[in-house]
Amino acid sequence: MTTPDPWDDDRLAAAFTARNAGIELPPALVTETANAVRQRPTRRDAPWWRPLPIAAAAAVVVSVVGLSLAMSWRTGSSPAPTGPSASVPSAAPTDAETERVLGLPVIDVPAALAVRDAGEDDRELAVRGWYSPIFPIDTVCPAMYVRKDSPVQPDNCPIWWAVLMTEPVTEPESLSARRDAFGRPLVGDALEMDLDALDRSGLPVVRSAGPAEPTEIVVVGHFDDRRSRLCPPNVEQACRDRFVVDRIDQVAGEDQPLSQVVMHGGQATRSTLVDVEAAHALAAPDATILSVVTADNENIDAVEPTLVTDLSDLPDGSFYLPIRWVLYTLESGRPQTYTVTDGTNEVWRMDIDGNLFRVADPTVTPLPTEGPWPPEGTAFTVRITKDVDDRPPFEVAIVDRSDTLVGAREALEDDPVVAVPIDGTIAWVAAEPGDPRSIRLGWYGGNCDRHTIVTIDSLDSILVNPNVPSPCNVMGNDRSLILTYSEPVDAAAIDVSYSETRGESRVIDPPPTTAPALQDGALAVVGVDGGPGELFCNETFPVSGLTAPTGAEDRVGPEFDALRATLTDPGFADGAADIDALTWREAGRTDDIVVFLAEKPRNEDERYWLELSLRLEATGWQFIGGGDCQPRAVLPEGVGPATWILDPAYPEPTAQDATVHLLVTESACASGESAADRLAPAYVVASPYRIDITVGVHSRPGGGRCPSNPSVAVEIDLGTPIGGRPLIDPNAPPPDGTSG
Amino acid sequence: MVERVDRREPIRSELDRSVIDRARRGDLDAFEEIVRVRMDTVYRLSFAILGDDAEARDAAQETFIAAWRQIRGVRDPERFDAWLQRVAVNAARMTHRAGRRRRVREIASSRIGGMPERAAASPAEVDSRTLDSAMRRLPVEQRSILVLHHLEGRTVAELAEILEIPIGTAKSRLHTARQALQAAIDAEAADR
């Protein structure tokens, strides 16, 4: 092997130049780009969004765009209003004294119109009326959409109208009359609603065959939206007259869930709705959240144009702009918008001009990290506060598995400057000047996480786990930790690694090197109650996946969108008719694989696991496989299988027993040596209808002859009474592996 | 034989300030003039960062679409090129992120045909192959700063301006990226 030549700047520049020398500009690229720019004069014209859950309504509305733009049905000669239909019940009389929503008296449409026409008034109103989406009528569309400067600006060429009527008019389009090129005002006792920032999946959808059946609904919203001021002067009044709905409260008498609309692609939020609601509740206890939008910088102008960040204004260190949670709230009877920064959970209040003012420091916000904080085994918790490039403070939990760490703190201005070793890796260590027992630890990144776990495995091994993908951590340049050990430590010999996998350092234990598994005949167990260890069920996931929270089908994020789409996909559902009726757990994930599990009844007494896995492809999360599964232990590297039988020296276990006595036999050739000092902790995977016990043995160095191996008597505490469940040895060849 | 271009004097056609001003006011024809004049520069920068024809093409197009959206925010037309490079770097990053799951790397036939035979490769061309492989080991952020400095000839102060970071940070990042590249080059050599 030869020593690589050093590359100086001139050599590097020449290589760069040579590398680019053969590049030819694709001949059509200029023309194609110019055309692309012309087709996208503004982002407002074609916002990309995706209601959650994916609404059939959206698909239907989109599907009729072409029809609505060119349609000629029900033109200006549309029939006169038909009035209430005898077959449809009229709207319930509104009693402001007895019916309230979120403390607001519920009024009817004429009362709402009276508020609108009485002058500028943006108070929140709860309005009951009849809803039926309709196609626009006799619309003359210009060749290209006219630019929209405000999210509340009426479409000049709408694909459908959302009308709230006093009565269940069966042909609500008759309430409309022609207006100018910027839209048409409605006449009669009906108002036009702006539902753009809401999940409309609970509402009836527009149909090509005619108006949907009118449905009685209660909505909470307001006129004179602050964003009306962004509208062009000639349509500002039309903007003010739109009833901007912040919450669909009831549909046909059914209470509706909080609306969440996702306006970002591919990138999952780091905070959860629970995080955001809690952070907001601390910062604005008097405000009630009416609806939520999560948007990235590319799409946020669809709801809040003032929040678009010019990429030329990116702050230091940031190639990353966090998603914003936009919260539309009711506060003191009026609409009030808040935003929460994804990941840090900073809470910001918006003024009438769309400017933000921070009202809550992220230190008071809940944890973005899954699981308890600090994690189990934490020896020190260090708060990093050094002010560098406006990066927020955050916490580091230091898990010491070496029992050698005696101190940990943040390196501050008064500490000596260390020469940071630069080798292209993200995390680094350096010797601490003047203290042979201390080292300096740091890592690079951007700015969005709140918690990082550092695991000291031994004197020469450190794992940094920021729990979020790079570059989304906040240590960055000029921030570091000082770790002090009980004995001198060689910084150069420390292997520091960096893992983005959420929670990895709490899942993976260092493999045992000796035989701590067997003490006084009792075999240690992993896999009980979410302990460490991995299982395999078409894909690998941690044991804790079996007890992960259910409800994944209701969570927010592109992978969960894909889960919902898969569950309702007719092709998938054919094999499991009620698969979408199950509740699912996120059992495990890597950067590009997510494994979901659900328990499905086999009969009245038995349940079994269903597995469904998704992979992140260039086009987004895609279903890659699924079906019945029986999770099996993944034995650690260097551990081979062993089989077991119930120890005949003991009585057969009863249903009340939680302890079993086994005779374990190593499967591999071991030259007849006992495995007593090489047993690995056993995996116990208990389900409601079976208990799997998987036993492994640390492999002997070198090969071995194959006389029969002696058995080792062990005792295992299952952690749960056996009940009527069979005990199963997954390593045993069928059919002898089942006992009890 | 490939004609070398002095990295310190990148070929850039002059762009009349009035064209930029008109584009800032929403004149689409003026912006198209910018696309025509600057596409080559942006495409080459994108390719240098991404090392992939298809991704470079996407990134270049995204650069101008994004630039059109944001051009009203350009505060100093005299620094338009630095601003456009910043947009291009961000577009390259976004394009790479979107396309990094691609299993198959697309290579335009023109590129394949243009590759010299191994026996005829000059030292610089051998180095360019090594560099190409080494760059793929680096994150796009590090590739970007290396390209801006070593290919585009941007000084540390200019890097700071383009990336809108303090000069000290730019220096630190460049140093880090340079070290990472050397490590990647060494790894490439060791793999052979």
PDB file of all heavy atoms in Angstrom, chain A residues 276-292:
ATOM      1  N   VAL A 276     -46.817  20.437  20.313  1.00  0.00           N
ATOM      2  CA  VAL A 276     -47.178  21.792  19.899  1.00  0.00           C
ATOM      3  C   VAL A 276     -48.339  22.320  20.731  1.00  0.00           C
ATOM      4  O   VAL A 276     -48.332  23.477  21.177  1.00  0.00           O
ATOM      5  CB  VAL A 276     -47.512  21.786  18.388  1.00  0.00           C
ATOM      6  CG1 VAL A 276     -48.121  23.102  17.965  1.00  0.00           C
ATOM      7  CG2 VAL A 276     -46.249  21.489  17.586  1.00  0.00           C
ATOM      8  N   GLU A 277     -49.330  21.478  20.954  1.00  0.00           N
ATOM      9  CA  GLU A 277     -50.467  21.926  21.758  1.00  0.00           C
ATOM     10  C   GLU A 277     -50.018  22.285  23.172  1.00  0.00           C
ATOM     11  O   GLU A 277     -50.470  23.284  23.750  1.00  0.00           O
ATOM     12  CB  GLU A 277     -51.525  20.823  21.811  1.00  0.00           C
ATOM     13  CG  GLU A 277     -52.302  20.672  20.514  1.00  0.00           C
ATOM     14  CD  GLU A 277     -53.319  19.554  20.572  1.00  0.00           C
ATOM     15  OE1 GLU A 277     -53.055  18.534  21.250  1.00  0.00           O
ATOM     16  OE2 GLU A 277     -54.374  19.686  19.941  1.00  0.00           O
ATOM     17  N   ALA A 278     -49.123  21.476  23.722  1.00  0.00           N
ATOM     18  CA  ALA A 278     -48.662  21.742  25.085  1.00  0.00           C
ATOM     19  C   ALA A 278     -47.842  23.026  25.139  1.00  0.00           C
ATOM     20  O   ALA A 278     -47.993  23.841  26.060  1.00  0.00           O
ATOM     21  CB  ALA A 278     -47.846  20.554  25.593  1.00  0.00           C
ATOM     22  N   ALA A 279     -46.964  23.205  24.164  1.00  0.00           N
ATOM     23  CA  ALA A 279     -46.149  24.417  24.131  1.00  0.00           C
ATOM     24  C   ALA A 279     -47.039  25.647  23.978  1.00  0.00           C
ATOM     25  O   ALA A 279     -46.839  26.673  24.646  1.00  0.00           O
ATOM     26  CB  ALA A 279     -45.147  24.344  22.983  1.00  0.00           C
ATOM     27  N   HIS A 280     -48.021  25.541  23.110  1.00  0.00           N
ATOM     28  CA  HIS A 280     -48.912  26.668  22.899  1.00  0.00           C
ATOM     29  C   HIS A 280     -49.755  26.948  24.133  1.00  0.00           C
ATOM     30  O   HIS A 280     -50.001  28.103  24.492  1.00  0.00           O
ATOM     31  CB  HIS A 280     -49.806  26.390  21.681  1.00  0.00           C
ATOM     32  CG  HIS A 280     -50.780  27.479  21.413  1.00  0.00           C
ATOM     33  ND1 HIS A 280     -52.104  27.384  21.762  1.00  0.00           N
ATOM     34  CD2 HIS A 280     -50.625  28.715  20.863  1.00  0.00           C
ATOM     35  CE1 HIS A 280     -52.727  28.499  21.423  1.00  0.00           C
ATOM     36  NE2 HIS A 280     -51.848  29.314  20.873  1.00  0.00           N
ATOM     37  N   ALA A 281     -50.190  25.883  24.796  1.00  0.00           N
ATOM     38  CA  ALA A 281     -51.023  26.073  25.991  1.00  0.00           C
ATOM     39  C   ALA A 281     -50.242  26.807  27.080  1.00  0.00           C
ATOM     40  O   ALA A 281     -50.816  27.618  27.816  1.00  0.00           O
ATOM     41  CB  ALA A 281     -51.498  24.719  26.503  1.00  0.00           C
ATOM     42  N   LEU A 282     -48.940  26.536  27.154  1.00  0.00           N
ATOM     43  CA  LEU A 282     -48.133  27.251  28.136  1.00  0.00           C
ATOM     44  C   LEU A 282     -47.971  28.719  27.765  1.00  0.00           C
ATOM     45  O   LEU A 282     -47.998  29.593  28.622  1.00  0.00           O
ATOM     46  CB  LEU A 282     -46.748  26.595  28.244  1.00  0.00           C
ATOM     47  CG  LEU A 282     -46.677  25.264  28.996  1.00  0.00           C
ATOM     48  CD1 LEU A 282     -45.299  24.649  28.831  1.00  0.00           C
ATOM     49  CD2 LEU A 282     -46.985  25.484  30.465  1.00  0.00           C
ATOM     50  N   ALA A 283     -47.813  28.964  26.483  1.00  0.00           N
ATOM     51  CA  ALA A 283     -47.536  30.329  26.032  1.00  0.00           C
ATOM     52  C   ALA A 283     -48.803  31.168  25.918  1.00  0.00           C
ATOM     53  O   ALA A 283     -48.765  32.377  26.126  1.00  0.00           O
ATOM     54  CB  ALA A 283     -46.817  30.283  24.685  1.00  0.00           C
ATOM     55  N   ALA A 284     -49.894  30.549  25.571  1.00  0.00           N
ATOM     56  CA  ALA A 284     -51.138  31.297  25.337  1.00  0.00           C
ATOM     57  C   ALA A 284     -52.301  30.514  25.937  1.00  0.00           C
ATOM     58  O   ALA A 284     -53.117  29.940  25.217  1.00  0.00           O
ATOM     59  CB  ALA A 284     -51.340  31.513  23.842  1.00  0.00           C
ATOM     60  N   PRO A 285     -52.390  30.502  27.252  1.00  0.00           N
ATOM     61  CA  PRO A 285     -53.391  29.647  27.898  1.00  0.00           C
ATOM     62  C   PRO A 285     -54.827  30.045  27.587  1.00  0.00           C
ATOM     63  O   PRO A 285     -55.731  29.233  27.766  1.00  0.00           O
ATOM     64  CB  PRO A 285     -53.067  29.811  29.390  1.00  0.00           C
ATOM     65  CG  PRO A 285     -52.297  31.084  29.498  1.00  0.00           C
ATOM     66  CD  PRO A 285     -51.553  31.225  28.230  1.00  0.00           C
ATOM     67  N   ASP A 286     -55.039  31.281  27.132  1.00  0.00           N
ATOM     68  CA  ASP A 286     -56.410  31.728  26.882  1.00  0.00           C
ATOM     69  C   ASP A 286     -56.838  31.527  25.439  1.00  0.00           C
ATOM     70  O   ASP A 286     -57.951  31.916  25.069  1.00  0.00           O
ATOM     71  CB  ASP A 286     -56.553  33.207  27.252  1.00  0.00           C
ATOM     72  CG  ASP A 286     -56.307  33.439  28.743  1.00  0.00           C
ATOM     73  OD1 ASP A 286     -56.622  32.518  29.525  1.00  0.00           O
ATOM     74  OD2 ASP A 286     -55.765  34.496  29.098  1.00  0.00           O
ATOM     75  N   ALA A 287     -55.965  30.995  24.632  1.00  0.00           N
ATOM     76  CA  ALA A 287     -56.298  30.812  23.217  1.00  0.00           C
ATOM     77  C   ALA A 287     -56.684  29.360  22.954  1.00  0.00           C
ATOM     78  O   ALA A 287     -56.024  28.446  23.443  1.00  0.00           O
ATOM     79  CB  ALA A 287     -55.104  31.208  22.340  1.00  0.00           C
ATOM     80  N   THR A 288     -57.739  29.180  22.177  1.00  0.00           N
ATOM     81  CA  THR A 288     -58.196  27.841  21.808  1.00  0.00           C
ATOM     82  C   THR A 288     -57.813  27.573  20.357  1.00  0.00           C
ATOM     83  O   THR A 288     -58.149  28.368  19.467  1.00  0.00           O
ATOM     84  CB  THR A 288     -59.723  27.734  21.953  1.00  0.00           C
ATOM     85  OG1 THR A 288     -60.068  28.022  23.306  1.00  0.00           O
ATOM     86  CG2 THR A 288     -60.204  26.339  21.578  1.00  0.00           C
ATOM     87  N   ILE A 289     -57.131  26.488  20.131  1.00  0.00           N
ATOM     88  CA  ILE A 289     -56.706  26.164  18.765  1.00  0.00           C
ATOM     89  C   ILE A 289     -57.915  25.708  17.960  1.00  0.00           C
ATOM     90  O   ILE A 289     -58.642  24.793  18.366  1.00  0.00           O
ATOM     91  CB  ILE A 289     -55.625  25.067  18.777  1.00  0.00           C
ATOM     92  CG1 ILE A 289     -54.386  25.566  19.532  1.00  0.00           C
ATOM     93  CG2 ILE A 289     -55.257  24.667  17.349  1.00  0.00           C
ATOM     94  CD1 ILE A 289     -53.315  24.488  19.709  1.00  0.00           C
ATOM     95  N   LEU A 290     -58.118  26.362  16.824  1.00  0.00           N
ATOM     96  CA  LEU A 290     -59.250  26.021  15.960  1.00  0.00           C
ATOM     97  C   LEU A 290     -58.829  25.112  14.817  1.00  0.00           C
ATOM     98  O   LEU A 290     -59.582  24.240  14.398  1.00  0.00           O
ATOM     99  CB  LEU A 290     -59.874  27.306  15.398  1.00  0.00           C
ATOM    100  CG  LEU A 290     -60.401  28.301  16.442  1.00  0.00           C
ATOM    101  CD1 LEU A 290     -60.851  29.587  15.772  1.00  0.00           C
ATOM    102  CD2 LEU A 290     -61.544  27.686  17.234  1.00  0.00           C
ATOM    103  N   SER A 291     -57.652  25.333  14.283  1.00  0.00           N
ATOM    104  CA  SER A 291     -57.159  24.485  13.205  1.00  0.00           C
ATOM    105  C   SER A 291     -55.656  24.646  13.108  1.00  0.00           C
ATOM    106  O   SER A 291     -55.078  25.601  13.643  1.00  0.00           O
ATOM    107  CB  SER A 291     -57.818  24.833  11.862  1.00  0.00           C
ATOM    108  OG  SER A 291     -57.640  26.197  11.557  1.00  0.00           O
ATOM    109  N   VAL A 292     -55.038  23.696  12.432  1.00  0.00           N
ATOM    110  CA  VAL A 292     -53.578  23.639  12.375  1.00  0.00           C
ATOM    111  C   VAL A 292     -53.141  23.401  10.932  1.00  0.00           C
ATOM    112  O   VAL A 292     -53.749  22.599  10.213  1.00  0.00           O
ATOM    113  CB  VAL A 292     -53.040  22.482  13.256  1.00  0.00           C
ATOM    114  CG1 VAL A 292     -51.527  22.371  13.146  1.00  0.00           C
ATOM    115  CG2 VAL A 292     -53.457  22.682  14.707  1.00  0.00           C
TER     116      VAL A 292
END
